């Protein structure tokens, strides 16, 4: 291993707490509950059934989920939800589904929904390159449901206000679930791929109002039917055992650390530190509209594009990992998920300042 301490700003899969990694690694060798590796035990064993139960309890507790909601463990990533949602709630309906076009993942969700029925894109910020969230849209009162992404992982924008809607609200919360307090009762279905605040890849969490699930009247293939997961305790088939186990460890860590309310404050402090530097340092500029800036994924560029490759190399030497912007967008993206320490943001800011000292000003305005 290299001597340089790594600061992991990866967008997903992303950083997990060291203690979680250690405990997960131990369980791979020998899980004390059974005396075998967590990788080789039956998902039907009572010991693993208690893992599933505890994980669900932790999710319910951390997000304060009302009793009339189910918590489900699925696979296929958030991307599977792009088709599973319309397959269940749009297919066969005479209604349209209302979607917000606010970024890369929302676009993918729209594309899948169009396979199952009519999609009404009620707001878009495409023309602005998704640098801000769509504004001035209304949710039609007769929509089958309204779908949006709470945090645009690639573009670095985040939806803050609670959306009032007369129709069921479906939200892709993959990249900001557990990062801040939410009022679950405002939503009918929340989904999130696990690999950005919950645990390792391979698990998808769905939180759904039972009444909404029961509104589905047409047949759906079993593995794509939410009710099958609910009615079988997410054990209709073999669930991702190791991912669920590690998610449990991570959610235990979150609870012990102080829960969502506490971590939200930490996340705000981390984002503020980095945005302040971006705004202060003449070499850098933020790419998302200030009022829509994400606390999870901070996107930025350099005033002089020539500097970008140089800064990337410079930052890598100081241990910064995963700050390259998404392949289609370029620039930089620093993801500040729950497990990323404040110290890592300080290190990145230090690196930006140190780099600025090495650069000969290319504009007289410096
Ligand atoms: C990462 C991400 C996805 C894609 O998740 P997969 O688990 O890879 O399918 C979808 N939506 C958002 C908001 C994401 O951040």
């Amino acid at each position: 291993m290299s001597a340089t301490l790594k600061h992991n700003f990866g967008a997903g899969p992303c950083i997990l707490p060291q203690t979680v990694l250690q405990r997960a690694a131990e369980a791979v060798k020998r899980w004390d509950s059974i005396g075998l590796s967590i990788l080789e035990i039956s998902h039907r064993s009572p010991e693993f059934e208690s893992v599933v139960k505890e994980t669900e309890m932790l999710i319910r507790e951390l997000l304060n989920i009302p009793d009339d909601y189910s918590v489900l463990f699925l696979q296929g990533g958030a991307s599977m939800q792009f088709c599973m949602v319309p397959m269940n709630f749009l297919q066969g309906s005479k209604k349209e589904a209302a979607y917000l076009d606010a970024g890369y993942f929302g676009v993918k969700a729209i594309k899948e929904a169009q396979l199952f029925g009519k999609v009404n894109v009620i707001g878009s910020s495409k023309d602005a390159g998704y640098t801000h969230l769509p504004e001035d849209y209304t949710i039609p009162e007769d929509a089958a449901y309204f779908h949006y992404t709470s945090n645009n992982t690639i573009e670095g924008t985040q939806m803050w206000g609670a959306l009032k809607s007369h129709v069921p609200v479906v939200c892709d919360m993959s990249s900001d679930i557990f990062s801040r307090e939410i009022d679950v009762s405002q939503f009918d279905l929340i989904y999130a791929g696990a690999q950005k605040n919950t645990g390792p890849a391979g698990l998808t969490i769905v939180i759904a109002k039972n009444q909404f699930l029961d509104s589905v009247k047409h047949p759906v293939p079993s593995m794509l039917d939410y009710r099958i997961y609910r009615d079988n305790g997410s054990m209709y088939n073999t669930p991702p055992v190791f991912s669920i186990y590690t998610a449990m460890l991570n959610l235990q860590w979150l609870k012990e650390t102080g829960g969502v309310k506490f971590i939200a404050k930490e996340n705000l402090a981390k984002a503020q530190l980095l945005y302040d530097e971006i705004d202060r340092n003449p070499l850098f500029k933020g790419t998302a509209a200030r009022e829509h800036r994400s606390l999870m994924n901070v996107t930025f560029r350099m005033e002089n594009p020539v500097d970008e490759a140089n800064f990337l190399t410079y930052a890598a030497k100081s241990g910064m990992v995963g700050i390259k912007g998404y392949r289609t967008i370029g620039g930089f993206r620093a993801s500040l998920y729950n497990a990323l320490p404040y110290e890592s943001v300080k290190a990145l800011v230090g690196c930006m300042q140190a780099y600025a000292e090495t650069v000969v000003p290319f504009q007289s305005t410096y």
Side-chain angles (χ1 to χ4, degrees):
M1 230 185 95
S2 107
T4 320
L5 184 68
K6 301 280 189 208
H7 299 283
N8 185 358
F9 294 92
C14 65
I15 185 167
L16 287 166
Q18 279 300 318
T19 53
V20 169
L21 297 177
Q22 272 154 16
R23 289 184 61 196
E26 279 161 21
V28 167
K29 287 192 221 152
R30 185 178 180 279
W31 185 38
D32 283 340
S33 303
I34 292 194
L36 295 169
S37 165
I38 187 82
L39 303 183
E40 60 178 358
I41 51 123
S42 168
H43 62 290
R44 306 262 177 219
S45 58
E47 291 84 355
F48 184 69
E49 280 185 358
S50 12
V51 167
V52 171
K53 255 197 207 113
E54 181 173 348
T55 312
E56 177 181 339
M57 292 292 291
L58 283 161
I59 295 170
R60 286 188 179 277
E61 194 182 326
L62 286 163
L63 296 178
N64 200 12
I65 299 176
D67 287 344
D68 57 333
Y69 283 69
S70 293
V71 175
L72 312 175
F73 301 124
L74 287 73
Q75 301 188 56
S79 301
M80 182 70 96
Q81 296 306 303
F82 296 162
C83 80
M84 202 162 152
V85 165
M87 186 182 244
N88 280 267
F89 304 107
L90 180 59
Q91 191 176 34
S93 152
K94 291 192 179 65
K95 297 177 173 177
E96 294 182 343
Y99 275 71
L100 270 195
D101 171 28
Y104 178 85
F105 289 115
V107 169
K108 285 184 142 185
I110 290 167
K111 178 169 171 264
E112 298 300 298
Q114 283 164 339
L115 298 171
F116 296 98
K118 278 219 169 115
V119 173
N120 180 0
V121 178
I122 58 170
S124 172
S125 52
K126 185 179 179 186
D127 291 346
Y130 300 119
T131 50
H132 61 80
L133 296 170
E135 284 164 316
D136 300 328
Y137 53 86
T138 38
I139 304 164
E141 295 209 358
D142 58 349
Y145 60 85
F146 167 61
H147 177 283
Y148 77 100
T149 313
S150 55
N151 181 69
N152 293 290
T153 322
I154 288 172
E155 296 81 2
T157 58
Q158 191 169 18
M159 181 96 82
W160 281 92
L163 286 158
K164 292 263 175 292
S165 167
H166 296 289
V167 305
V169 177
V170 177
C171 185
D172 177 358
M173 266 188 211
S174 294
S175 52
D176 64 354
I177 193 164
F178 300 118
S179 74
R180 56 165 163 158
E181 290 183 291
I182 50 164
D183 178 1
V184 173
S185 72
Q186 304 266 344
F187 301 89
D188 292 76
L189 191 146
I190 293 167
Y191 62 86
Q195 67 274 21
K196 292 155 190 158
N197 256 351
T198 312
L203 169 68
T204 309
I205 289 177
V206 169
I207 300 163
K209 198 173 191 170
N210 286 322
Q211 200 189 343
F212 188 47
L213 298 186
D214 290 326
S215 70
V216 181
K217 299 292 178 225
H218 59 283
V220 176
S222 303
M223 285 300 290
L224 299 168
D225 187 338
Y226 294 106
R227 294 161 304 179
I228 294 274
Y229 288 84
R230 179 187 63 187
D231 301 343
N232 293 278
S234 295
M235 291 270 208
Y236 176 72
N237 76 328
T238 314
V241 172
F242 183 66
S243 297
I244 293 176
Y245 178 72
T246 310
M248 178 191 77
L249 297 179
N250 190 42
L251 296 172
Q252 284 171 342
W253 168 84
L254 179 55
K255 185 180 164 182
E256 282 157 20
T257 303
V260 172
K261 194 171 182 171
F262 173 82
I263 213 79
K265 274 192 227 137
E266 296 281 294
N267 288 335
L268 182 63
K270 288 186 288 183
Q272 244 161 14
L273 181 65
L274 183 52
Y275 281 122
D276 281 352
E277 180 61 20
I278 290 168
D279 293 340
R280 188 205 62 79
N281 191 322
L283 259 50
F284 296 89
K285 58 178 175 186
T287 53
R290 271 169 202 259
E291 65 277 21
H292 297 152
R293 280 175 165 177
S294 165
L295 300 191
M296 289 287 102
N297 311 98
V298 177
T299 49
F300 55 105
R301 304 204 67 112
M302 293 182 90
E303 291 289 351
N304 183 357
V306 175
D307 274 333
E308 292 190 346
N310 294 339
F311 178 69
L312 209 54
T313 312
Y314 184 87
K317 278 196 200 123
S318 310
M320 306 300 143
V321 178
I323 60 166
K324 198 172 193 308
Y326 190 75
R327 52 194 149 89
T328 56
I329 295 201
F332 305 98
R333 170 180 53 179
S335 297
L336 315 179
Y337 296 118
N338 285 352
L340 185 90
Y342 187 82
E343 291 307 313
S344 287
V345 185
K346 258 168 99 173
L348 176 58
V349 165
C351 197
M352 291 159 78
Q353 291 171 351
Y355 182 78
E357 309 240 308
T358 71
V359 173
V360 182
F362 77 102
Q363 277 176 357
S364 57
T365 49
Y366 281 5

